[in-house]
Amino acid sequence: MEGNFNEKDDMKIDVHSPGNQQPKKVSHEFSFDYLKVYYGKLFPYSDIFRWMSYGNDGKHPACDESYFSRREFSFTLENDVYLRFQSFKSATDLENSIKEKCPSKIDIGPVYSVDPSKRHAYVQAGNNVFTPVERELVFDIDITEYDDIRYCCSGSDICLNCWPLMAIAIKVIDTALRDDFGFNHILWVYSGRRGVHCWVCDGRARRLSNEARSSITDYFHVYKGSENGLKKASLTGLALHPFLARAYTDVLLDYFERTLIHNQKLFSVEDRYEKILDIIPDKSVASEIHEKWQGNKRSSTSEEGRWDQLKSMLQSGKHKGLRRSVEEIVFSYTFPRIDMEVSKHMNHLLKAPFCVHPKTGRVCVPIDPKHCDDFDPTSIPTLSLLLEELNAGGVQMDVENDWERTSLDQSIRFFRSSFLQPLMKSCKEEMESSYSARVQQSNKTSLGW
Amino acid sequence: MEILRSKKKPTAEAASNLSLYRCAPSLEVRLDDFELYAIDRLRVLKGISNGLSRGKTPDEMKTLVNELWRTNMRHPDVTQIINKDLISHFVLRLVYCRTDELRKWFLSMETTLFRYRFRLESLESQRMLMAEFQLPYKALNYVEYERVKDKLTQVSRSIGQSSNVDTIFFKVPFEEVPELVANRRVFLLKGNAYVAMNQVKWTSTIREQEKDRLTPIVEALGSSYLGPDYSQPMEFTDISLKDIDQLANTSFPLCMRHLFNRLREDHHLKHGGRMQLGLFLKGVGLNLENALAFWRAEFSQKVGSERFDKEYAYTVRHNYGKEGKRTDYTPYSCQKIISVTPSVGDHHGCPYRHFSEENLRAALSKMGVGGRAMDDVMDKVRNRHYQLACTMTFETIHAASCDSGINHPNQYFIQSRKLLEPKGQSLS
Ligand code: SF4
Ligand SMILES: [Zn+2]
């Protein structure tokens, strides 16, 4: 298949120019033939391998040679067959298997105590040694979770009007992971269709117990049940916890006021603002405002104007205990909604970066959290675009990798420079220091008799 | 269960004797020692409690704690000092975990003790302490504390706890305290959780078989050394109904005097008030028969004696252990009375804490407190030293000093009687 796709003349017809991409034309964006080419020429095997080795692929005496081969990969094949507990000895091993099986989805699981493909042998031996020992701390945030507060699309669709919700989640969680939990090696990835994934890769994060993972997940959770079809954030106490306070002042309020009110028309459509007013515990205040707005259909009060009105009423202090309502409204409409179950357990699988989503044909590219506002999920390179770019490049021999001739170039460069390189550096340092500590220790014991 | 000390002997003089009591010790201890150690520690804690209720300054407290520790926690065998510390701590912890109130008292005294002992340590030995005990907990130094103190206050406010400048905070890897992280009860910075002393987990780590061995001792300790709980009437037993108004006027603390007056005026008290006054009177020496007569006389004027017998007599008998679970209920301590939150129409609680300044002044002047003394009392109230304010009131109207401070309304009563009613003479 490789190499001969140029000769297929229907190829050129199928491939769209980037200008008229429509998310609906799924069948044109993805096919297993395209995917074969993608795995053949573009998928960054060596980067994935280096990442998943965490420095154990080098010559250092402290390297754990079995490390990579104890990692679980899972493949979803064309016929929906699901292969779990795949493991690989080397980058080439991984590459060959992917090329051969052409999985529509590659999932990454934990590093186990023993090679997961040989787990049966260990189970039969009767000792329960097959257990996860390391796993990145991962988060999965799905736009469908926000369906009660977005009106631009629903279900798996995502557009520029609701993307800000994802940008908020990235900013709030990324900052907390760095400043509160002290993590440094964090990778954000577009899931290819309806959300984002986050991989926290510091050694400390990979070794967290399930209990610690749960505690972090709960730390990020403010939603308590739902009321009238709205997931409601419940905030108690005289002050907000510093994490919530920072999220509120640095991110949430700003997005709510400057972007979402307008994007989602939160205050100009009656059933939308009714839902907001429902959050206010004092029903008389809510209905007072409701009347005001309803009687005023033609009035020129802008959406922002209505929000200001509501805010000043709640904050006036005339009505006891309503100040918190302002924050509860903003939190309910902006605060990240992570899929708790994904993060809580070490052995949850998560789709690998640089996979291609079979429904949209879009590549799961990394997202720069610093510029997540500018990220446009509707113009992410699709399989067909990439192949067209490959075609257009013709026989350019002056590049080392084929992806350098495509839009994937940026993404891979970003992956390397902002994630992989700093990670490799700190893995090396960690290895050095644990090694020298061990050497010292053994010197001590041998002298200490 | 292992002792938090490495097997080797404490290294040199610099080694600290301060323990963090994370695990119960696995030491062989003779039963007698066991009990003696606990009593000695209790002396220290009671001493601290007295010092605090006398409103001693931090510097005075430092000296006091040092003194108390040195006199009570000595041991002829120097190597045994640490063991004595650990054992006594864990024995008392068992004794004091029985009720919320006891637990609170114990925890706050132990915290104070620890705080001052920690301050007495040199920096070097603080460091060694951490190394020796291999604790992930690190106490914050001043500079660090200053840097994060606003955040720490914010966290306390967010979980509805008053933040105290004196609280010691520990810095620990967040993985150590998952529950506190999950509930956002700690401040997190760069992977460390800032845990307040009172958040350090108190696990009961005594193994089952040890429990059997300990239980009788613990129970004995509980009844004999917790100090009087005033559940049984004291020496001045059996006060009679005709004396009660005079006694209220001269020897009741303000909280009880207020309830008593309201009852006489309104012929009624709500539940909280009935409990607080009823149990106090029991402790003072009003027997069940007199108590029933007393309450009936008042309540029947308002609700009729039939309704009293039907609805209220039960509570009175209940207080005397004659109904329900048949436990003898204990009169409330100051700490308990001060910590309640009376609502509208309630008259129980501690006037020093719950009255408006105006009402308190009026009530005090009726008791005969005025001039400088009034200012002093109000000053203590403003600084939230309610028991101290009460002690000063006592001293003013009795023209005598009260060295132990007021900890219990019944103690107030007894000390008052001792002063007003020289030995042998009775009222009647
Ligand atoms: S300090 Fe104690 S005795 Fe004094 S009034 Fe308050 S509760 Fe009563
Ligand atoms: Zn949308």
Side-chain angles (χ1 to χ4, degrees), chain B residues 253-256 276 333-334 337-338 349-352 386-387 390 406-409 412:
Chain B
L254 185 51
C255 53
M256 299 304 168
Q276 183 176 318
S333 68
C334 291
I337 295 173
I338 289 172
C350 171
Y352 297 97
Y386 309 114
Q387 285 169 246
C390 188
I406 297 299
N407 300 309
H408 201 293
Y412 184 110

Side-chain angles (χ1 to χ4, degrees), chain A residues 115-403:
Chain A
D115 183 340
S117 64
K118 304 204 180 84
R119 69 196 179 286
H120 294 302
Y122 294 101
V123 170
Q124 270 156 17
N127 39 8
N128 212 0
V129 289
F130 180 65
T131 161
V133 289
E134 272 191 31
R135 205 284 184 268
E136 294 76 11
L137 173 64
V138 295
F139 297 96
D140 179 8
I141 307 162
D142 222 333
I143 194 71
T144 49
E145 286 298 309
Y146 295 80
D147 276 357
D148 55 327
I149 56 160
R150 64 182 185 138
Y151 302 96
C152 47
C153 8
S154 64
S156 314
D157 292 335
I158 196 163
C159 73
L160 286 176
N161 282 331
C162 48
W163 176 257
L165 290 165
M166 288 291 127
I168 293 169
I170 293 175
K171 287 187 177 178
V172 167
I173 290 176
D174 192 72
T175 308
L177 288 171
R178 291 174 201 277
D179 294 355
D180 300 0
F181 292 97
F183 297 127
N184 296 308
H185 302 289
I186 302 169
L187 176 70
W188 288 94
V189 183
Y190 177 52
S191 73
R193 192 178 188 195
R194 51 184 195 186
V196 295
H197 294 161
C198 173
W199 299 77
V200 188
C201 304
D202 301 59
R204 186 174 175 183
R206 282 179 275 135
R207 290 184 282 271
L208 288 172
S209 66
N210 283 340
E211 195 187 16
R213 283 164 208 264
S214 287
S215 77
I216 298 173
T217 317
D218 288 336
Y219 184 82
F220 289 148
H221 186 71
V222 301
Y223 291 96
K224 298 275 146 64
S226 62
E227 272 170 37
N228 304 327
L230 176 75
K231 291 200 186 72
K232 189 171 168 278
S234 113
L235 308 169
T236 52
L238 290 172
L240 290 178
H241 184 278
F243 158 58
L244 300 180
R246 181 189 56 212
Y248 183 75
T249 46
D250 293 359
V251 183
L252 307 183
L253 185 61
D254 200 51
Y255 271 90
F256 183 76
E257 296 191 331
R258 291 206 213 182
T259 311
L260 291 167
I261 288 183
H262 179 69
N263 267 3
Q264 301 295 334
K265 306 217 177 339
L266 293 179
F267 287 98
S268 57
V269 180
E270 188 175 348
D271 58 347
R272 297 187 193 172
Y273 67 65
E274 273 173 357
K275 209 148 137 188
I276 294 178
L277 295 180
D278 272 348
I279 296 180
I280 303 166
D282 186 333
K283 292 306 159 210
S284 67
V285 175
S287 68
E288 189 185 330
I289 297 176
H290 189 254
E291 255 163 54
K292 215 183 256 176
W293 292 350
Q294 226 186 3
N296 248 349
K297 270 192 193 119
R298 308 212 155 267
S299 93
S300 54
T301 325
S302 64
E303 299 201 278
E304 285 81 0
R306 288 187 168 176
W307 167 240
D308 287 339
Q309 224 172 32
L310 176 60
K311 240 192 335 188
S312 61
M313 187 133 174
L314 294 176
Q315 288 171 337
S316 68
K318 251 198 303 184
H319 310 277
K320 251 190 158 178
L322 291 186
R323 282 161 196 277
R324 196 33 67 74
S325 297
V326 174
E327 287 153 12
E328 283 187 337
I329 291 170
V330 174
F331 271 88
S332 300
Y333 278 78
T334 54
F335 195 79
R337 301 175 173 190
I338 58 179
D339 182 337
M340 311 267 291
E341 289 314 307
V342 173
S343 310
K344 284 184 171 177
H345 301 285
M346 275 184 133
N347 44 11
H348 213 104
L349 297 159
L350 194 67
K351 182 160 59 171
F354 297 107
C355 276
V356 177
H357 197 288
K359 294 267 160 45
T360 60
R362 296 192 192 285
V363 182
C364 305
V365 292
I367 301 170
D368 182 352
K370 285 193 216 77
H371 299 112
C372 56
D373 284 316
D374 308 328
F375 187 88
D376 179 356
T378 63
S379 65
I380 297 312
T382 58
L383 258 193
S384 51
L385 170 73
L386 293 176
L387 299 206
E388 190 191 31
E389 287 168 348
L390 270 184
N391 278 348
V395 267
Q396 260 178 30
M397 300 309 285
D398 55 344
V399 290
E400 195 185 323
N401 300 292
D402 283 322
W403 46 258

Side-chain angles (χ1 to χ4, degrees), chain B residues 307-321:
Chain B
R307 222 180 117 195
F308 173 82
D309 287 338
K310 257 205 334 239
E311 287 175 30
Y312 298 98
Y314 176 87
T315 336
V316 178
R317 284 198 299 273
H318 190 258
N319 282 349
Y320 281 75

